[in-house]
Each structure stands twice: as structure tokens, then as C-alpha cells.
Amino acid sequence: MPIVRQKKIEVLFSAEQIAARNRELAELIALSDLRNILVISILKGSFVFAADLIRALHGAGLAPEVEFISISSYGAGTEAGEVRLLRDVDTDVAGRDVLLIDDILESGNTLKYTRDLMLSRGARKVGIAVLLDKSMKRKADLTADYTGFECPDQFVVGYGMDVAHAFRELPFVGVVTGDA
Ligand code: IMP
Ligand code: MG
């Protein structure tokens, strides 16, 4: 079991599993009706997944534009689920086919807010790609179009995801199980 920062980490999804799944997702996206895709990576958690998925999209013959948006959600697990826009995209999305990329779809508040924002700005289509789906935690009425893996109801880290700003650098997705 990997040990990082004096903690034991159980690997849930290995770098190899993720890379293989990214190639499959890219092939599915290439077969979709999304055209001249504008990728919007939801920061911070999705930056590693987005970086790999856009390169897999290149492998599948696509040439997406790439944008970033920063969203914070307070009390993601609560009914309130307040979502705030911290940093907006620079690109006009009117008439565009947008692919939102996030690390985890949990309550759905973050992605519902972001999707509705892009639709209100006149995006032609908004697709959603997430690495992990905690479907048992859903509150908003929302499903992803492209999901890497169904995620167990555990707090995961790595591959861009953090706990208290740590572990984003891990090349795999794992769960902190205790002290080393
Ligand atoms: P939602 O608005 O409840 O769907 O929130 C999803 C967001 O919560 C994701 O983009 C992550 O940033 C964060 N999140 C949810 N579960 C985890 C986890 O297990 N580890 C790290 N971040 C998480
Ligand atoms: Mg996030």
C-alpha cells in the first residue's frame, strides 16, 4: 500500500485503469454529436483529469479548445448546497458545444450550477464528463454524459483531488486509511 506524507493510502483506481478509461471516454465523446468542443475544466479538482482527457481527445481525433472556471460549493453534502463563481471563463460560450469536466459528481450542485450558467449564456449544447460519480449522494436532478467510474461512498484523494490541500499530486485515486 503506498505511503505518502506519513499516511497509508489504499489505491481505488490505478493510473493504468484511469488511463485506459480516459481513452474509452474520449472515443465515446468523439462519437457524440458535440462539435468544435469547448472544454471547460472546473477548478481545482479536475485539472489533472482534464489534462489527461484532452490528450485522449486528441488521440480520438478531436481538437478541443480549453477553458477553466473556478467554482466553490459550500456544504456540498447539505440541502443548502450554495455554489459560488470564483473565476469565470474568458470565452464567449454562445452557440458553442461545451464539455464540462469535473473530478467528482456528488450532490450535483456544482455541475448543475455550471451547466445552467452556460445554457443561460446561450451555449448550444452542454455535455458533462466526470471521472467519478458518487450517485448515492445526488441531490440535484443531473446525470453525467460521460463517467469514468462509479465511486464508493468514501472520501477520495489523488489525481487532482485533495484533502486539506494535500495529495493532489498522486497519479492514482485512493483513500487515506490511516497513519503509516
Ligand atoms: P457536488 O456539488 O456535491 O457534486 O460536489 C462535487 C465536488 O465536491 C467535486 O468537484 C469535488 O471538488 C468535491 N468532492 C466531493 N467528494 C470528494 C472526495 O471524496 N474527495 C475530494 N473532493 C470531493
Ligand atoms: Mg470540485
Side-chain angles (χ1 to χ4, degrees):
M1 196 178 288
I3 293 173
V4 185
R5 301 172 194 262
Q6 264 61 263
K7 299 285 184 191
K8 279 191 251 178
I9 314 268
E10 181 196 344
V11 178
L12 274 188
F13 303 107
S14 70
E16 293 74 21
Q17 278 176 289
I18 295 169
R21 187 65 184 136
N22 285 345
R23 286 192 291 272
E24 292 175 353
L25 293 179
E27 294 296 340
L28 292 173
I29 293 165
L31 292 173
S32 77
D33 56 0
L34 295 174
R35 296 287 170 265
N36 300 319
I37 292 174
L38 173 64
V39 157
I40 300 180
S41 163
I42 302 179
L43 297 174
K44 300 175 184 169
S46 81
F47 80 108
V48 176
F49 176 46
D52 282 348
L53 188 59
I54 61 169
R55 284 176 288 183
L57 290 174
H58 167 78
L62 299 184
E65 287 175 41
V66 183
E67 262 286 3
F68 301 91
I69 194 167
S70 186
I71 303 282
S72 87
S73 53
Y74 293 103
T78 67
E79 289 299 328
E82 190 188 319
V83 177
R84 248 186 350 133
L85 176 61
L86 298 180
R87 179 207 179 275
D88 208 343
V89 295
D90 301 321
T91 302
D92 181 8
V93 303
R96 299 298 305 268
D97 288 7
V98 169
L99 180 65
L100 296 177
I101 299 185
D102 206 358
D103 50 357
I104 302 192
L105 174 55
E106 198 175 68
S107 73
N109 292 331
T110 304
L111 274 161
K112 185 178 186 331
Y113 171 89
T114 313
R115 183 195 60 186
D116 291 352
L117 182 65
M118 297 307 151
L119 289 172
S120 75
R121 292 173 176 179
R124 193 179 78 91
K125 283 196 155 75
V126 181
I128 293 176
V130 296
L131 178 69
L132 302 175
D133 187 0
K134 289 186 181 173
S135 54
M136 74 297 285
K137 299 296 249 335
R138 194 82 78 256
K139 293 200 158 53
D141 178 21
L142 186 125
T143 50
D145 302 291
Y146 309 97
T147 300
F149 305 95
E150 181 64 30
C151 187
D153 187 9
Q154 284 175 295
F155 196 85
V156 299
V157 298
Y159 201 66
M161 294 173 279
D162 74 309
V163 56
H165 310 294
F167 302 115
R168 290 193 198 274
E169 75 280 10
L170 302 182
F172 54 85
V173 173
V175 175
V176 179
T177 59
D179 294 324

